[in-house]
Amino acid sequence: MIICTSKMEFPLRTQCQRVHKQVMVNGEKERVSLLFMKALVSRGSVDAVSQQMASHPQYLESFLRTQHYILHMDGPLPLPYRHYIAIMAAARHHCNYLVYLHSAQFLRVGGDPVWLQGLEAAPPRLRLLDHINKVLAHQPWLTACSHIQALLKAGEQCWSLAELVQAVSPNGTPPTFCPFDAANGNANVPQTLATPSEHITRRRSLDSSCDMVCLKEKIQKSQEEREKREERLLQTQALQQTGNQQKHTDMEEEEEMICFADPTRFITDPDLCYQEFARREEDHFQVFRVQDYSWEDHGFSLVNRLYSDIGHLLDDRFRSVTTLPSMHSPDLKRAIWNYIHCVLGIRYDDYDYGEVNQLLERDLKLYIKSVACFPDATKTPVCPLSLAPLKPSERIHVNLLIMEARLQAELLYALRAITQYMIA
């Protein structure tokens, strides 16, 4: 009888495991669907970058929450400034896709179309960011206290510390406004997406705003608004036929500015690019040692103090990408992270860099360095042989690690310079 029971347990256990796995898969699919529905409600589409991240819902959720907070929630910078800074960041790497997305968002939040003619047409305060933008993008180790001082003591065009912290936060990624956070005290929510009952001051997270019924209602409202816009367009066309063409002409001019805006219009010194970081006697810069200034002990508290809650959101992103379930071992993830920091001049005294050569094959190291340091020149990078056998989701995970490690490196350099300015 005991033998018979044990024989029955194995297929029963296997069946339970299969059911559990299927439940997990279905749960992840529902989670992705929920996130995509929120994006559809807000913009009528899901950007290509978010679609790629969909294979890792846990990370995608953290990513969307951070970007929404930076680009749309209450903060020291006006909404047009935020999207224009994102345009500058994306243009630095000749990313037409993100320049287009943020240009469209820039106009939707009331940005001046003239600014899209190029950097020289932007306000002087924004032009002042050009130098630190290109340094952080290509050679972040050159970021100095003097750069911060120049921005904070620029007379009438000076920046505040809070504004500067928001400006150097990750803005060059797809806009992801979510109308469900109209209840978060965000005064910048478009009126077409916010109802009077939603204007309350209680803060909520991205997930706790609405249930599925609310989602369906939002989608229906979004569709109704789209129909109204189409009706207004027809009315505009009717006015054009009667001789009133000015409004339609203005719309055409704005669309032309977006579609044909050359990313190089928003940058200076286009030849500046990544150069090999190597400590030599003639170099005036030193290796950035994490033991002296780290995200956990220094950067997190500073950024959170000057720009409330953003430190928690960024920290969640960094933790999320390094703890995603995957075939990659923790040692491999750390090797990728530390290798990227190393090529950007950041070193960990407690890490054996011999592990980088042991765990990362040469073709993988070349791939990682190319994507991290020359993203504009590697739009279709060759997949290294060591990644070829992996599932697409595993390869995407590697790219997410590269993106977040580089982001943290840039933030460390910028925040250290701000700290040096504050204690000088």
Side-chain angles (χ1 to χ4, degrees), residues 251-286:
M251 291 173 61
E252 286 182 340
E253 289 177 355
E254 290 184 7
E255 290 176 358
E256 184 176 358
M257 287 180 187
I258 295 176
C259 295
F260 298 99
D262 181 358
T264 59
R265 294 182 184 182
F266 303 104
I267 64 174
T268 61
D269 196 6
D271 294 330
L272 181 68
C273 61
Y274 172 81
Q275 293 182 357
E276 195 75 26
F277 180 92
R279 185 178 179 182
R280 300 182 295 271
E281 293 182 0
E282 64 270 21
D283 290 336
H284 66 275
F285 47 84
Q286 301 292 323

Side-chain angles (χ1 to χ4, degrees), residues 323-347:
T323 57
L324 284 176
S326 71
M327 295 176 60
H328 307 306
S329 67
D331 290 341
L332 180 63
K333 296 177 188 177
R334 188 181 183 191
I336 293 173
W337 191 278
N338 289 1
Y339 175 62
I340 295 168
H341 279 198
C342 181
V343 299
L344 295 176
I346 299 175
R347 303 277 292 191

Side-chain angles (χ1 to χ4, degrees), residues 75-334:
L77 291 178
L79 292 186
Y81 268 52
R82 304 181 198 188
H83 288 288
Y84 201 85
I85 293 170
I87 292 170
M88 293 171 62
R92 195 65 239 179
H93 290 298
H94 306 283
C95 184
N96 299 60
Y97 176 68
L98 292 180
V99 169
Y100 169 79
L101 282 178
H102 284 287
S103 295
Q105 285 287 341
F106 171 79
L107 293 177
R108 290 190 187 114
V109 297
D112 188 344
V114 175
W115 297 8
L116 296 182
Q117 294 177 1
L119 189 60
E120 70 283 352
R125 292 186 76 226
L126 285 171
R127 296 202 301 268
L128 285 173
L129 291 177
D130 176 65
H131 184 75
I132 196 169
N133 177 44
K134 62 187 178 186
V135 168
L136 288 174
H138 303 297
Q139 300 175 31
W141 54 86
L142 296 180
T143 308
C145 177
S146 58
H147 298 143
I148 306 302
Q149 184 176 13
L151 291 168
L152 299 177
K153 294 186 177 182
E156 295 181 357
Q157 309 301 330
C158 69
W159 287 70
S160 69
L161 277 172
E163 289 175 329
L164 189 55
V165 166
Q166 185 175 21
V168 299
S169 295
N171 283 315
T173 38
T176 51
F177 170 74
C178 180
F180 312 125
D181 275 347
N184 284 356
N186 180 10
N188 299 313
V189 176
Q191 294 302 314
T192 56
L193 294 176
T195 61
S197 62
E198 291 173 321
H199 289 288
I200 58 178
T201 57
R202 185 162 57 92
R203 300 293 294 268
R204 298 187 208 164
S205 68
L206 189 64
D207 283 333
S208 62
S209 303
C210 287
D211 55 16
M212 292 302 294
V213 175
C214 184
L215 279 172
K216 293 178 180 179
E217 292 176 354
K218 293 293 184 180
I219 291 175
Q220 183 177 356
K221 289 181 181 179
S222 179
Q223 292 172 343
E224 292 174 355
E225 290 297 329
R226 190 176 298 110
E227 291 174 358
K228 290 180 180 179
R229 287 195 297 268
E230 292 174 355
E231 183 179 350
R232 287 195 295 267
L233 179 59
L234 291 175
Q235 292 175 352
T236 302
Q237 292 173 347
L239 288 172
Q240 180 181 4
Q241 293 174 358
T242 61
N244 188 356
Q245 302 180 5
Q246 185 60 44
K247 184 176 181 180
H248 187 64
T249 301
D250 292 342
M251 291 173 61
E252 286 182 340
E253 289 177 355
E254 290 184 7
E255 290 176 358
E256 184 176 358
M257 287 180 187
I258 295 176
C259 295
F260 298 99
D262 181 358
T264 59
R265 294 182 184 182
F266 303 104
I267 64 174
T268 61
D269 196 6
D271 294 330
L272 181 68
C273 61
Y274 172 81
Q275 293 182 357
E276 195 75 26
F277 180 92
R279 185 178 179 182
R280 300 182 295 271
E281 293 182 0
E282 64 270 21
D283 290 336
H284 66 275
F285 47 84
Q286 301 292 323
V287 170
F288 187 124
R289 298 199 176 278
V290 174
Q291 279 65 28
D292 299 329
Y293 196 95
S294 68
W295 166 255
E296 293 80 6
D297 298 331
H298 306 89
F300 171 83
S301 58
L302 175 64
V303 75
N304 231 30
R305 177 154 53 97
L306 295 176
Y307 183 18
S308 179
D309 293 335
I310 190 61
H312 293 289
L313 293 170
L314 289 170
D315 194 61
D316 184 64
R317 267 178 63 168
F318 298 146
R319 293 179 185 276
S320 175
V321 77
T322 55
T323 57
L324 284 176
S326 71
M327 295 176 60
H328 307 306
S329 67
D331 290 341
L332 180 63
K333 296 177 188 177
R334 188 181 183 191

